[in-house]
Amino acid sequence: MRELLRAYFSRRTLVSLYNLFFTLSRKLLTSFPLSLLMPKSNDDDVAQSEAVPLLDLVKPSLPISFPIKALQDLKSRSYFDSFHFQFNRSTVPFRRNSDCLPNRPRVLVCHDMKGGYVDDKWVQGCENEAGFAIWHWYLMDIFVYFSHSLVTIPPPCWTNTAHRHGVKVLGTFITEWDEGKATCKEMLATKESAQMYAERLAELATALGFDGWLINIENDIDEEQIPNMKEFVSHLKKVLHLSTPGALVIWYDSVTVRGNLQWQDQLTELNKPFFDLCDGIFMNYTWKESYPNLSAEVAGDRKFDVYMGIDVFGRGSFGGGQWTVNAALDLLKRNNVSAAIFAPGWVYETAQPPNFHTAQNKWWSLVEKSWGIVQTYPQVLPFYSDFNQGFGYHVSLEGRQLSDSPWYNISCQSLQPLLEFNEDNKDIIQVTVDAREASFNGGGNIVFRGKLKGDAYFTTRLFKPHLQLSSSPITISYSVKSDETSNLGILLSFSSPSLETKSILVAPEDPIRRFDDMSLQCLTTSVQTVSEWTVHEASLVMDGHTLTEISAFCYRPENSTKSAEFVALLGHISVKDHVQNQQNPEILLPASSWVIEAHNVELVPGNSSSKILRVKLEWRQKDLEDSAFTRYNVYAENVKSTDLRPRKVLEKPKSETVLLGIAHVPAYYVAELVVESDVKAVRFMVQACGEDASLGKLDEALNLLVDLEGLSVNHD
């Protein structure tokens, strides 16, 4: 109800309505059965009643992300006792060269999508390929995960992919309504209690690998407790900065230093004392045209730490949000302050036509036109992208399709290309990521489709790197699927030490004599793979140069007379230096250097004569506290032979190896593995993946045999 009301009423009206409803509902509890007042449970929702939880968070189950709803649970640290804690750690380190935010106007994006914890709550992924995703990370600096629970912990999928792109991730601490006032009264009872709760929040962020908190106090506070609220904010910032360099505490423009819930919409003497204690302020989104400039004047040399809110739903927001969001962004850019974009999920929630993918790209193109690109990547080698957007209809590995099932897992996003949106000019080649088309790795690609005549060519931006190169050779590799009349090369742009620009075309044949403006070319060696993918590779030395742009180059073969549609799929692109190109993960990390164990093993009845196996797999590298890997492919293989000796002497036949899923921590929970009556054991295999997508041989991967014959069947 709260989410629905927010779409139509102002926040001030909603506060009054909600507090009245909340008071009446508590009185009604003495008159009606509890079942009539509790929402009916939904298997697709992780939202829980405090009185009747949907699941026991200590017992093994499919790993989920969930908020902390009660102050007592924050105080007791019960989150760390849950079965799900270890699965919720982000393992991808923050990518930027510096922990500090750039000294310029910035873009903060606040998630707020359907109340949070929807498809993204399933840590190991789910089967809804139509779940909400964001892939325009190059247009933001900070990402906030928001819900209306007391402590909103970002699901690790958002932190993993945001960090990969150089974006910081914050959780949300929110109190609201009359119940929020009671929470604050308890939390701020003493200076010591304020410090203790601040330390609990800092501990959560550090343990789970995200970058800080948005503090949103949407209720009145007793004025005598304001000093303790200041202590809470100040202490949180202090502890977080010590434990996580570059961490952020951002205050939301809500309660004032007088204890009143009174949104200012600008930086004033009523909210500046909180701004002075933290790393920034997120302004409420009902500001007037003059407020950004006035706020910048008050902030002084900290004006970039003022994030003026823009509600994409348009509820009282300057410019109206939605498809005119650029009106507010343009104004903020002119006034040299930062922007806080609230609820970009509007595109998804309101089903903007013609489809989510197209509408999402169109909406974010408005942000790019107003603000420009704020993230440049890659900045270090190795660089690899297969353009995976975190959802798809199949999974492939080096051109071979391993699965044809739909899936959703934002952690699997690779570095996203900076594709330019163009819906007006239908006479040029259209460039899109299309998860329904074939993939070389994962479930992504870039599709080039359109008209291309004779000696014409087409180029389009893919990435904006900032890679300073040495005398060591670099190797560029990319995969293409196309017919013989549609060719695809990679155009690299460099800046020399004297700031001269140079372009090199990496392509499998020599088109330069037809294209005079291409100054240099590097011919590739090409290898045909399965499923009609061709991998092209070339090496070059650009000592002292900086790689500044990677583009696609579409062209026809020489003397081609074909006028049919140009169609080519780009499956991946990678850049490695010479040393990285020689590394072999199966030699560097043989299975003998790992330990793998099975825990919480359980066998329960299935349909007919089958059974269901549940087991938690955990692995680690010997002599290392933390693994250097952030991704693992997990496979299973049924063993029907009674001979359970090592794999190489197993009797035939044995079942096909099946990809179960992808883990981003060194653990994976197998929840519903169906095994038939003739299966005697299940062999699990874990394949570590390098940053450049390099893999060891599956036959030599870490593996564990779980013997089913010794297990008793638990009838639940």
Side-chain angles (χ1 to χ4, degrees):
M1 173 181 285
R2 186 162 55 196
E3 292 300 310
L4 181 62
L5 287 171
R6 286 171 58 240
Y8 298 98
F9 291 95
S10 73
R11 184 177 300 178
R12 291 170 175 82
T13 303
L14 188 54
V15 168
S16 300
L17 287 172
Y18 183 86
N19 283 333
L20 176 62
F21 172 80
F22 188 76
T23 301
L24 289 173
S25 68
R26 283 191 165 178
K27 291 179 179 178
L28 287 170
L29 279 171
T30 60
S31 306
F32 291 91
L34 184 63
S35 59
L36 294 180
L37 294 171
M38 298 295 292
K40 292 184 178 180
S41 64
N42 184 331
D43 290 339
D44 293 328
D45 278 333
V46 76
Q48 304 174 25
S49 157
E50 292 180 9
V52 187
L54 294 180
L55 57 94
D56 186 338
L57 295 172
V58 176
K59 292 182 179 180
S61 62
L62 268 177
I64 60 168
S65 297
F66 58 93
I68 296 174
K69 295 194 170 187
L71 201 59
Q72 177 58 36
D73 291 332
L74 178 61
K75 178 181 179 180
S76 68
R77 304 176 68 252
S78 61
Y79 182 90
F80 297 103
D81 297 325
S82 76
F83 174 80
H84 307 267
F85 161 58
Q86 73 177 113
F87 296 95
N88 274 275
R89 291 185 298 110
S90 168
T91 54
V92 177
F94 183 64
R95 179 199 55 79
R96 264 202 210 125
N97 291 334
S98 170
D99 291 326
C100 299
L101 288 171
N103 188 34
R104 55 161 172 74
R106 309 173 197 122
V107 177
L108 178 153
V109 173
C110 194
H111 166 265
D112 190 45
M113 222 291 298
K114 290 188 174 181
Y117 302 103
V118 190
D119 298 297
D120 54 359
K121 71 175 176 278
W122 301 109
V123 177
Q124 294 177 171
C126 67
E127 295 182 351
N128 182 21
E129 79 287 350
F132 176 70
I134 288 176
W135 52 88
H136 296 84
W137 299 102
Y138 53 93
L139 300 176
M140 68 186 83
D141 299 284
I142 304 167
F143 178 80
V144 178
Y145 194 80
F146 183 89
S147 82
H148 287 277
S149 295
L150 178 68
V151 180
T152 300
I153 298 170
C157 61
W158 295 107
T159 309
N160 282 334
T161 193
H163 279 185
R164 196 173 285 126
H165 292 85
V167 175
K168 292 181 183 288
V169 176
L170 308 185
T172 303
F173 179 81
I174 185 172
T175 62
E176 50 189 342
W177 324 112
D178 288 346
E179 54 189 310
K181 183 175 181 179
T183 296
C184 287
K185 192 175 186 67
E186 179 180 349
M187 181 178 76
L188 305 174
T190 65
K191 177 180 178 180
E192 290 72 24
S193 65
Q195 290 178 340
M196 180 269 290
Y197 284 111
E199 289 167 7
R200 294 291 186 268
L201 291 179
E203 180 185 32
L204 280 167
T206 302
L208 296 175
F210 59 95
D211 306 293
W213 295 96
L214 171 68
I215 306 299
N216 188 3
I217 309 300
E218 297 265 5
N219 49 259
D220 292 337
I221 296 176
D222 294 337
E223 191 167 0
E224 61 268 22
Q225 290 191 318
I226 290 297
N228 288 344
M229 175 57 78
K230 290 182 178 180
E231 180 63 28
F232 170 75
V233 174
S234 176
H235 194 65
L236 176 58
K237 176 184 174 182
K238 175 184 174 182
V239 176
L240 256 182
H241 283 204
L242 286 173
S243 60
T244 306
L248 299 173
V249 176
I250 293 182
W251 178 263
Y252 190 84
D253 165 35
S254 48
V255 74
T256 70
V257 288
R258 294 174 183 167
N260 301 318
L261 178 58
Q262 191 175 25
W263 300 276
Q264 300 296 292
D265 299 327
Q266 61 180 309
L267 195 59
T268 71
E269 73 278 0
L270 294 178
N271 55 24
K272 188 173 183 294
F274 295 114
F275 173 69
D276 293 338
L277 294 172
C278 61
D279 298 295
I281 188 168
F282 184 147
M283 286 301 173
N284 191 47
Y285 45 75
T286 52
W287 45 268
K288 308 300 182 185
E289 185 172 2
S290 61
Y291 290 6
N293 184 55
L294 293 172
S295 297
E297 291 177 357
V298 174
D301 59 3
R302 289 192 61 202
K303 60 186 176 183
F304 300 149
D305 295 333
V306 176
Y307 300 85
M308 302 298 294
I310 304 171
D311 181 13
V312 180
F313 278 83
R315 296 161 288 205
S317 197
F318 181 86
Q322 302 185 13
W323 292 111
T324 56
V325 69
N326 52 305
L329 288 168
D330 289 345
L331 178 65
L332 299 182
K333 193 70 180 291
R334 288 196 301 271
N335 285 279
N336 218 23
V337 293
S338 295
I341 299 173
F342 185 77
W346 168 81
V347 176
Y348 183 94
E349 289 192 61
T350 58
Q352 292 296 300
N355 55 66
F356 170 58
H357 203 275
T358 302
Q360 170 103 318
N361 288 333
K362 180 179 180 180
W363 188 88
W364 281 98
S365 74
L366 300 175
V367 178
E368 181 175 347
K369 288 175 184 175
S370 287
W371 212 268
I373 294 169
V374 302
Q375 296 285 353
T376 57
Y377 53 81
Q379 296 185 6
V380 295
L381 295 178
F383 158 61
Y384 171 85
S385 178
D386 53 32
F387 322 115
N388 192 328
Q389 291 185 332
F391 55 87
Y393 299 87
H394 53 259
V395 176
S396 296
L397 183 63
E398 296 180 342
R400 294 178 294 108
Q401 186 167 297
L402 301 182
S403 169
D404 60 359
S405 299
W407 61 276
Y408 171 96
N409 189 340
I410 300 298
S411 277
C412 293
Q413 268 196 18
S414 60
L415 282 174
Q416 291 299 295
L418 287 63
L419 301 183
E420 298 172 86
F421 181 77
N422 191 322
E423 67 174 348
D424 299 325
N425 191 348
K426 302 299 182 183
D427 293 329
I428 64 171
I429 290 177
Q430 298 297 306
V431 185
T432 59
V433 173
D434 188 346
R436 294 184 181 274
E437 292 281 1
S439 302
F440 182 73
N441 273 335
N445 55 51
I446 299 181
V447 181
F448 303 84
R449 190 188 302 272
K451 299 176 182 178
L452 193 65
K453 297 180 180 179
D455 284 346
Y457 65 88
F458 171 81
T459 65
T460 187
R461 175 190 76 199
L462 298 180
F463 294 96
K464 297 282 288 185
H466 184 78
L467 275 172
Q468 295 181 327
L469 303 176
S470 67
S471 58
S472 176
I474 59 171
T475 299
I476 298 94
S477 172
Y478 66 101
S479 53
V480 176
K481 186 174 184 178
S482 66
D483 64 24
E484 67 279 1
T485 66
S486 301
N487 287 355
L488 185 62
I490 298 296
L491 184 64
L492 305 175
S493 299
F494 299 90
S495 174
S496 72
S498 59
L499 301 182
E500 295 176 334
T501 58
K502 181 183 298 183
S503 296
I504 296 181
L505 178 60
V506 178
E509 63 173 53
D510 186 5
I512 287 184
R513 56 182 174 271
R514 293 185 287 140
F515 308 130
D516 295 337
D517 53 343
M518 296 294 119
S519 57
L520 294 171
Q521 181 173 359
C522 182
L523 294 177
T524 67
T525 58
S526 304
V527 177
Q528 189 79 26
T529 66
V530 296
S531 303
E532 301 177 350
W533 285 95
T534 301
V535 177
H536 304 289
E537 188 172 288
S539 294
L540 64 156
V541 176
M542 296 297 293
D543 188 12
H545 285 70
T546 300
L547 179 60
T548 58
E549 186 157 307
I550 301 173
S551 302
F553 185 90
C554 302
Y555 63 101
R556 299 283 193 186
E558 192 169 11
N559 300 320
S560 173
T561 58
K562 188 172 181 179
S563 58
E565 188 177 44
F566 180 99
V567 181
L569 273 63
L570 181 63
H572 87 283
I573 183 169
S574 72
V575 182
K576 307 178 190 178
D577 66 26
H578 180 70
V579 174
Q580 292 162 343
N581 202 42
Q582 301 301 313
Q583 290 179 347
N584 190 323
E586 73 225 23
I587 295 174
L588 292 176
L589 292 169
S592 60
S593 67
W594 296 77
V595 175
I596 184 170
E597 298 170 338
H599 300 286
N600 308 112
V601 183
E602 189 179 13
L603 201 61
V604 299
N607 296 327
S608 185
S609 61
S610 68
K611 300 180 184 68
I612 293 175
L613 177 64
R614 298 169 181 162
V615 57
K616 182 174 80 166
L617 304 172
E618 291 186 89
W619 55 91
R620 67 182 186 278
Q621 290 174 248
K622 294 178 181 177
D623 305 321
L624 279 180
E625 184 176 344
D626 293 312
S627 172
F629 294 90
T630 62
R631 175 173 169 148
Y632 308 86
N633 295 334
V634 182
Y635 299 85
E637 176 184 272
N638 289 337
V639 178
K640 298 182 179 181
S641 168
T642 56
D643 185 349
L644 298 180
R645 289 173 290 169
R647 173 200 307 271
K648 292 183 180 178
V649 293
L650 277 177
E651 297 176 8
K652 302 291 184 180
K654 64 181 180 182
S655 336
E656 179 184 2
T657 300
V658 176
L659 176 67
L660 294 180
I662 295 170
H664 296 273
V665 295
Y668 189 86
Y669 185 68
V670 181
E672 300 290 331
L673 184 62
V674 177
V675 291
E676 301 301 331
S677 58
D678 59 344
V679 174
K680 307 302 180 183
V682 178
R683 188 183 305 278
F684 295 100
M685 289 151 282
V686 177
Q687 188 180 42
C689 308
E691 288 185 43
D692 59 354
S694 57
L695 297 167
K697 294 178 181 178
L698 190 56
D699 285 343
E700 299 176 14
L702 178 65
N703 69 89
L704 177 70
L705 191 71
V706 175
D707 186 355
L708 304 184
E709 294 194 299
L711 291 176
S712 60
V713 179
N714 182 356
H715 290 271
D716 287 335

